[in-house]
Amino acid sequence: MISIKHIDEKDIDLCYEFDLITISLWSKKQWANEFKKEGVEVLGLSISNSLIGICVFHVVLDEAQINFFAIERKYRKKGLGTYLMRFLIKECQMLKIKKLYLEVSHNNFPAESFYNRFDFSTVGIRRNYYKDGSNALLKEKKLRTK
């Protein structure tokens, strides 16, 4: 059974371990700091109580920033990222979010293609943003609130 639930800071270890096997973005301390920020929400996508996806987004007034979005490798290209993104978009619409932002490496073609399918458009570039020297594409999606 597929489910999505909010994750809280008692699951920092789970989030950190998931990050290690997916995109290795944050240290354990960075995960702890993320949970301390006001307006941060963490969604976990599970199949039969096994975590296979995480989305971290930060709400500030009527905008939100996706800070982390990953699906476990063996579950990619099966529609589960789409399932999580649609859930996130509906959640943002209920929160009256008008714009949703994210950053993605210009070298990460699969991720950029994925976000483009949800009508995220590139609105800026952060040069040499990542450790490997690649640029970050700043992407924006305008939402219709319910």
Side-chain angles (χ1 to χ4, degrees):
M1 181 170 101
I2 299 172
S3 64
I4 297 175
K5 68 174 187 167
H6 287 268
I7 296 175
D8 60 36
E9 64 183 306
K10 73 178 179 359
D11 291 316
I12 287 172
D13 288 338
L14 183 65
C15 293
Y16 174 67
E17 290 165 16
F18 179 84
D19 186 2
L20 282 176
I21 65 166
T22 55
I23 58 179
S24 297
L25 187 64
W26 294 334
S27 67
K28 197 174 205 179
K29 184 177 181 180
Q30 287 171 304
W31 274 101
N33 289 339
E34 200 68 15
F35 276 102
K36 290 177 186 170
K37 293 177 187 172
E38 188 175 331
V40 167
E41 300 284 337
V42 182
L43 301 174
L45 173 67
S46 299
I47 294 181
S48 302
N49 293 324
S50 179
L51 184 68
I52 60 130
I54 293 179
C55 174
V56 178
F57 65 105
H58 190 175
V59 176
V60 178
L61 300 174
D62 62 352
E63 296 181 348
Q65 166 87 23
I66 299 172
N67 294 333
F68 185 97
F69 192 98
I71 302 294
E72 192 177 328
R73 189 168 304 282
K74 70 181 179 181
Y75 293 100
R76 292 179 189 168
K77 300 201 181 278
K78 298 181 186 307
L80 295 162
T82 296
Y83 187 81
L84 182 57
M85 182 60 76
R86 285 186 180 146
F87 185 93
L88 169 64
I89 290 168
K90 285 179 187 171
E91 184 116 335
C92 286
Q93 288 171 325
M94 288 189 304
L95 293 169
K96 307 285 190 237
I97 302 297
K98 293 180 182 172
K99 292 181 182 177
L100 186 56
Y101 294 97
L102 61 87
E103 293 160 353
V104 63
S105 170
H106 77 278
N107 291 331
N108 191 342
F109 303 113
E112 188 180 3
S113 175
F114 173 78
Y115 296 129
N116 289 344
R117 287 199 315 267
F118 291 94
D119 298 322
F120 279 88
S121 57
T122 301
V123 294
I125 297 175
R126 293 192 171 120
R127 304 226 178 266
N128 301 312
Y129 186 75
Y130 295 103
K131 292 175 198 169
D132 67 359
S134 63
N135 299 331
L137 302 177
L138 179 60
K139 299 185 88 57
E140 172 191 88
K141 176 177 177 55
K142 294 180 181 170
L143 299 174
R144 282 185 241 119
T145 56
K146 292 183 177 185

